[in-house]
Amino acid sequence: AQSVSQHNHHVILSEAASLELGCNYSYGGTVNLFWYVQYPGQHLQLLLKYFSGDPLVKGIKGFEAEFIKSKFSFNLRKPSVQWSDTAEYFCAVNARATGFQKLVFGTGTRLLVSP
Amino acid sequence: DAMVIQNPRYQVTQFGKPVTLSCSQTLNHNVMYWYQQKSSQAPKLLFHYYDKDFNNEADTPDNFQSRRPNTSFCFLDIRSPGLGDAAMYLCATSRDRQATNEKLFFGSGTQLSVL
């Protein structure tokens, strides 16, 4: 069975600080990887995804993530955070196989950016 | 414009009293999902519909049922809610099954309280 670990449950940063949120997954096969974000009072929305090709993926709002297959990791990064990045961030994995495979989420990381 | 709409935003029910949560979508997507998210936990897939084909997760309790009368609407029925069923219930859609890199479109969720 697949699982996703997000090691940082709460992160507090000042504006302009750099961000890196860890995500590790367990699954031996080929995967699709996602980061979803939930801003306060809003629904979950896709930040970025990886399914093949360049392991460095760029998403919306200056976020990027790097897939490191040997480490089973898909860490999210942003060089300089803004107050508006305050949100909860979820890493998710979908094992690629024939037929339907469910999206498995991590427990999320709450990011608070202070002005 | 909201594309996946969940009503109500907050639902309070009594222990053992049946409750129905609703979800509608304007995307004309084939797949609709119900996720359960308990406090500080990852969203967990309960079941999904691929068109009219219902797919239950193996560990979803029998207490949880779902109906999809047409493409736009999907309902989550909890036959006899227990205290442990208090959670945020998220509805999501995707154009096609997640064997590929399809992203999910989420509603804002219904927060269920059981008294």
Side-chain angles (χ1 to χ4, degrees):
Chain A
Q2 310 148 55
S3 67
V4 179
S5 297
Q6 291 182 245
H7 311 296
N8 313 104
H9 298 293
H10 293 89
V11 173
I12 301 174
L13 294 173
S14 299
E15 274 194 313
S18 64
L19 170 71
E20 180 159 4
L21 301 182
C23 173
N24 288 92
Y25 67 94
S26 66
Y27 182 72
T30 305
V31 293
N32 296 321
L33 296 157
F34 305 79
W35 276 97
Y36 280 83
V37 60
Q38 187 169 26
Y39 297 103
Q42 296 188 26
H43 57 272
L44 277 164
Q45 54 188 291
L46 183 68
L47 197 57
L48 49 77
K49 63 183 179 183
Y50 170 82
F51 59 99
S52 67
D54 188 344
L56 184 62
V57 180
K58 295 196 183 295
I60 60 173
K61 302 186 181 186
F63 285 91
E64 65 180 30
E66 185 175 12
F67 172 51
I68 303 179
K69 189 175 181 180
S70 61
K71 294 185 178 181
F72 298 89
S73 69
F74 189 55
N75 292 354
L76 181 70
R77 299 194 293 249
K78 186 171 183 178
S80 176
V81 294
Q82 301 172 310
W83 175 79
S84 58
D85 294 324
T86 294
E88 189 160 17
Y89 294 81
F90 291 90
C91 181
V93 62
N94 174 22
R96 249 189 284 165
T98 56
F100 170 78
Q101 292 289 341
K102 65 185 179 185
L103 199 62
V104 177
F105 285 88
T107 53
T109 297
R110 288 183 186 268
L111 172 65
L112 174 63
V113 180
S114 58
Chain B
D1 291 336
M3 295 177 287
V4 181
I5 303 164
Q6 291 188 245
N7 285 306
R9 182 72 178 86
Y10 299 93
Q11 176 74 56
V12 180
T13 191
Q14 292 178 334
F15 183 93
K17 184 175 181 180
V19 65
T20 295
L21 310 182
S22 72
C23 177
S24 64
Q25 53 129 342
T26 61
L27 298 162
N28 204 33
H29 280 173
N30 286 330
V31 194
M32 295 187 77
Y33 311 80
W34 280 104
Y35 281 82
Q36 179 194 60
Q37 185 182 14
K38 295 186 178 180
S39 181
S40 301
Q41 296 186 23
K44 178 180 175 299
L45 182 64
L46 295 173
F47 27 60
H48 77 279
Y49 271 96
Y50 179 62
D51 196 12
K52 295 181 181 180
D53 182 26
F54 177 70
N55 297 269
N56 199 26
E57 290 299 302
D59 55 356
T60 297
D62 293 339
N63 199 24
F64 291 85
Q65 305 286 321
S66 186
R67 295 171 284 134
R68 190 178 184 186
N70 53 52
T71 300
S72 301
F73 285 87
C74 194
F75 300 98
L76 170 62
D77 301 309
I78 308 177
R79 292 191 297 184
S80 182
L83 298 178
D85 297 327
M88 175 70 81
Y89 289 88
L90 301 170
C91 174
T93 73
S94 69
R95 187 179 56 184
D96 207 337
R97 285 193 170 203
Q98 280 187 246
T100 63
N101 62 335
E102 289 284 333
K103 75 172 186 179
L104 299 185
F105 292 79
F106 283 88
S108 297
T110 293
Q111 182 69 51
L112 177 68
S113 299
V114 182
L115 303 180

